PDB file of all heavy atoms in Angstrom:
ATOM      1  N   GLY F  11       8.051   8.183   8.986  1.00  0.00           N
ATOM      2  CA  GLY F  11       8.342   7.791  10.337  1.00  0.00           C
ATOM      3  C   GLY F  11       9.797   7.391  10.539  1.00  0.00           C
ATOM      4  O   GLY F  11      10.427   7.756  11.546  1.00  0.00           O
ATOM      5  N   THR F  12      10.342   6.673   9.567  1.00  0.00           N
ATOM      6  CA  THR F  12      11.736   6.251   9.658  1.00  0.00           C
ATOM      7  C   THR F  12      12.684   7.437   9.677  1.00  0.00           C
ATOM      8  O   THR F  12      13.601   7.505  10.498  1.00  0.00           O
ATOM      9  CB  THR F  12      12.096   5.314   8.469  1.00  0.00           C
ATOM     10  OG1 THR F  12      11.246   4.164   8.524  1.00  0.00           O
ATOM     11  CG2 THR F  12      13.562   4.888   8.533  1.00  0.00           C
ATOM     12  N   ILE F  13      12.471   8.393   8.765  1.00  0.00           N
ATOM     13  CA  ILE F  13      13.329   9.567   8.711  1.00  0.00           C
ATOM     14  C   ILE F  13      13.212  10.356  10.004  1.00  0.00           C
ATOM     15  O   ILE F  13      14.221  10.771  10.603  1.00  0.00           O
ATOM     16  CB  ILE F  13      12.963  10.471   7.522  1.00  0.00           C
ATOM     17  CG1 ILE F  13      13.318   9.741   6.200  1.00  0.00           C
ATOM     18  CG2 ILE F  13      13.687  11.801   7.584  1.00  0.00           C
ATOM     19  CD1 ILE F  13      12.834  10.459   4.943  1.00  0.00           C
ATOM     20  N   ALA F  14      11.983  10.581  10.472  1.00  0.00           N
ATOM     21  CA  ALA F  14      11.785  11.393  11.684  1.00  0.00           C
ATOM     22  C   ALA F  14      12.419  10.724  12.906  1.00  0.00           C
ATOM     23  O   ALA F  14      13.134  11.366  13.673  1.00  0.00           O
ATOM     24  CB  ALA F  14      10.282  11.586  11.917  1.00  0.00           C
ATOM     25  N   PHE F  15      12.179   9.426  13.091  1.00  0.00           N
ATOM     26  CA  PHE F  15      12.749   8.738  14.242  1.00  0.00           C
ATOM     27  C   PHE F  15      14.256   8.596  14.128  1.00  0.00           C
ATOM     28  O   PHE F  15      14.986   8.672  15.119  1.00  0.00           O
ATOM     29  CB  PHE F  15      12.100   7.351  14.399  1.00  0.00           C
ATOM     30  CG  PHE F  15      10.922   7.343  15.327  1.00  0.00           C
ATOM     31  CD1 PHE F  15      10.022   6.276  15.312  1.00  0.00           C
ATOM     32  CD2 PHE F  15      10.698   8.340  16.234  1.00  0.00           C
ATOM     33  CE1 PHE F  15       8.945   6.226  16.152  1.00  0.00           C
ATOM     34  CE2 PHE F  15       9.613   8.322  17.085  1.00  0.00           C
ATOM     35  CZ  PHE F  15       8.730   7.263  17.055  1.00  0.00           C
ATOM     36  N   ALA F  16      14.742   8.360  12.888  1.00  0.00           N
ATOM     37  CA  ALA F  16      16.194   8.250  12.700  1.00  0.00           C
ATOM     38  C   ALA F  16      16.884   9.560  13.037  1.00  0.00           C
ATOM     39  O   ALA F  16      17.945   9.576  13.674  1.00  0.00           O
ATOM     40  CB  ALA F  16      16.506   7.847  11.263  1.00  0.00           C
ATOM     41  N   LEU F  17      16.268  10.683  12.631  1.00  0.00           N
ATOM     42  CA  LEU F  17      16.840  11.987  12.989  1.00  0.00           C
ATOM     43  C   LEU F  17      16.820  12.223  14.494  1.00  0.00           C
ATOM     44  O   LEU F  17      17.793  12.694  15.068  1.00  0.00           O
ATOM     45  CB  LEU F  17      16.061  13.101  12.273  1.00  0.00           C
ATOM     46  CG  LEU F  17      16.258  13.209  10.758  1.00  0.00           C
ATOM     47  CD1 LEU F  17      15.307  14.256  10.183  1.00  0.00           C
ATOM     48  CD2 LEU F  17      17.708  13.576  10.418  1.00  0.00           C
ATOM     49  N   ALA F  18      15.702  11.833  15.131  1.00  0.00           N
ATOM     50  CA  ALA F  18      15.609  11.999  16.580  1.00  0.00           C
ATOM     51  C   ALA F  18      16.678  11.169  17.279  1.00  0.00           C
ATOM     52  O   ALA F  18      17.343  11.632  18.223  1.00  0.00           O
ATOM     53  CB  ALA F  18      14.219  11.588  17.065  1.00  0.00           C
ATOM     54  N   GLY F  19      16.887   9.938  16.794  1.00  0.00           N
ATOM     55  CA  GLY F  19      17.898   9.088  17.386  1.00  0.00           C
ATOM     56  C   GLY F  19      19.306   9.632  17.164  1.00  0.00           C
ATOM     57  O   GLY F  19      20.141   9.633  18.088  1.00  0.00           O
ATOM     58  N   ALA F  20      19.578  10.088  15.941  1.00  0.00           N
ATOM     59  CA  ALA F  20      20.914  10.610  15.636  1.00  0.00           C
ATOM     60  C   ALA F  20      21.190  11.876  16.423  1.00  0.00           C
ATOM     61  O   ALA F  20      22.311  12.049  16.970  1.00  0.00           O
ATOM     62  CB  ALA F  20      21.009  10.914  14.144  1.00  0.00           C
ATOM     63  N   LEU F  21      20.226  12.773  16.512  1.00  0.00           N
ATOM     64  CA  LEU F  21      20.419  14.019  17.266  1.00  0.00           C
ATOM     65  C   LEU F  21      20.642  13.748  18.754  1.00  0.00           C
ATOM     66  O   LEU F  21      21.458  14.394  19.410  1.00  0.00           O
ATOM     67  CB  LEU F  21      19.223  14.942  17.083  1.00  0.00           C
ATOM     68  CG  LEU F  21      19.055  15.523  15.658  1.00  0.00           C
ATOM     69  CD1 LEU F  21      17.708  16.249  15.532  1.00  0.00           C
ATOM     70  CD2 LEU F  21      20.193  16.438  15.303  1.00  0.00           C
ATOM     71  N   THR F  22      19.931  12.748  19.261  1.00  0.00           N
ATOM     72  CA  THR F  22      20.153  12.350  20.660  1.00  0.00           C
ATOM     73  C   THR F  22      21.568  11.824  20.843  1.00  0.00           C
ATOM     74  O   THR F  22      22.264  12.162  21.820  1.00  0.00           O
ATOM     75  CB  THR F  22      19.141  11.270  21.084  1.00  0.00           C
ATOM     76  OG1 THR F  22      17.820  11.766  20.949  1.00  0.00           O
ATOM     77  CG2 THR F  22      19.381  10.829  22.519  1.00  0.00           C
ATOM     78  N   GLY F  23      22.018  10.990  19.898  1.00  0.00           N
ATOM     79  CA  GLY F  23      23.379  10.442  19.961  1.00  0.00           C
ATOM     80  C   GLY F  23      24.433  11.518  19.910  1.00  0.00           C
ATOM     81  O   GLY F  23      25.436  11.465  20.636  1.00  0.00           O
ATOM     82  N   ILE F  24      24.214  12.535  19.066  1.00  0.00           N
ATOM     83  CA  ILE F  24      25.182  13.639  18.956  1.00  0.00           C
ATOM     84  C   ILE F  24      25.214  14.421  20.275  1.00  0.00           C
ATOM     85  O   ILE F  24      26.271  14.752  20.782  1.00  0.00           O
ATOM     86  CB  ILE F  24      24.807  14.565  17.794  1.00  0.00           C
ATOM     87  CG1 ILE F  24      24.962  13.819  16.442  1.00  0.00           C
ATOM     88  CG2 ILE F  24      25.690  15.808  17.809  1.00  0.00           C
ATOM     89  CD1 ILE F  24      24.390  14.565  15.267  1.00  0.00           C
ATOM     90  N   GLN F  25      24.028  14.701  20.824  1.00  0.00           N
ATOM     91  CA  GLN F  25      23.985  15.445  22.094  1.00  0.00           C
ATOM     92  C   GLN F  25      24.640  14.669  23.219  1.00  0.00           C
ATOM     93  O   GLN F  25      25.240  15.260  24.118  1.00  0.00           O
ATOM     94  CB  GLN F  25      22.530  15.758  22.458  1.00  0.00           C
ATOM     95  CG  GLN F  25      21.917  16.856  21.633  1.00  0.00           C
ATOM     96  CD  GLN F  25      20.580  17.321  22.181  1.00  0.00           C
ATOM     97  OE1 GLN F  25      20.034  16.719  23.104  1.00  0.00           O
ATOM     98  NE2 GLN F  25      20.041  18.396  21.609  1.00  0.00           N
ATOM     99  N   LYS F  26      24.543  13.342  23.176  1.00  0.00           N
ATOM    100  CA  LYS F  26      25.146  12.509  24.218  1.00  0.00           C
ATOM    101  C   LYS F  26      26.634  12.234  23.936  1.00  0.00           C
ATOM    102  O   LYS F  26      27.263  11.481  24.661  1.00  0.00           O
ATOM    103  CB  LYS F  26      24.382  11.187  24.313  1.00  0.00           C
ATOM    104  CG  LYS F  26      22.968  11.317  24.812  1.00  0.00           C
ATOM    105  CD  LYS F  26      22.893  11.823  26.238  1.00  0.00           C
ATOM    106  CE  LYS F  26      21.465  11.892  26.727  1.00  0.00           C
ATOM    107  NZ  LYS F  26      21.390  12.343  28.146  1.00  0.00           N
ATOM    108  N   LYS F  27      27.139  12.835  22.843  1.00  0.00           N
ATOM    109  CA  LYS F  27      28.569  12.722  22.475  1.00  0.00           C
ATOM    110  C   LYS F  27      29.000  11.280  22.196  1.00  0.00           C
ATOM    111  O   LYS F  27      30.100  10.860  22.591  1.00  0.00           O
ATOM    112  CB  LYS F  27      29.434  13.371  23.556  1.00  0.00           C
ATOM    113  CG  LYS F  27      29.116  14.836  23.800  1.00  0.00           C
ATOM    114  CD  LYS F  27      30.154  15.497  24.665  1.00  0.00           C
ATOM    115  CE  LYS F  27      29.784  16.960  24.955  1.00  0.00           C
ATOM    116  NZ  LYS F  27      29.554  17.752  23.737  1.00  0.00           N
ATOM    117  N   LEU F  28      28.121  10.548  21.524  1.00  0.00           N
ATOM    118  CA  LEU F  28      28.489   9.204  21.085  1.00  0.00           C
ATOM    119  C   LEU F  28      29.402   9.323  19.841  1.00  0.00           C
ATOM    120  O   LEU F  28      29.398  10.357  19.176  1.00  0.00           O
ATOM    121  CB  LEU F  28      27.246   8.397  20.708  1.00  0.00           C
ATOM    122  CG  LEU F  28      26.169   8.223  21.784  1.00  0.00           C
ATOM    123  CD1 LEU F  28      25.062   7.312  21.272  1.00  0.00           C
ATOM    124  CD2 LEU F  28      26.753   7.659  23.075  1.00  0.00           C
ATOM    125  N   ASP F  29      30.158   8.263  19.560  1.00  0.00           N
ATOM    126  CA  ASP F  29      30.957   8.307  18.342  1.00  0.00           C
ATOM    127  C   ASP F  29      30.045   8.013  17.136  1.00  0.00           C
ATOM    128  O   ASP F  29      28.841   7.793  17.300  1.00  0.00           O
ATOM    129  CB  ASP F  29      32.121   7.306  18.400  1.00  0.00           C
ATOM    130  CG  ASP F  29      31.688   5.860  18.524  1.00  0.00           C
ATOM    131  OD1 ASP F  29      30.505   5.535  18.220  1.00  0.00           O
ATOM    132  OD2 ASP F  29      32.513   5.008  18.901  1.00  0.00           O
TER     133      ASP F  29
END
Side-chain angles (χ1 to χ4, degrees):
T12 300
I13 293 172
F15 267 163
L17 288 174
L21 293 171
T22 300
I24 294 170
Q25 286 191 352
K26 294 294 183 178
K27 302 190 183 305
L28 303 184
D29 63 17

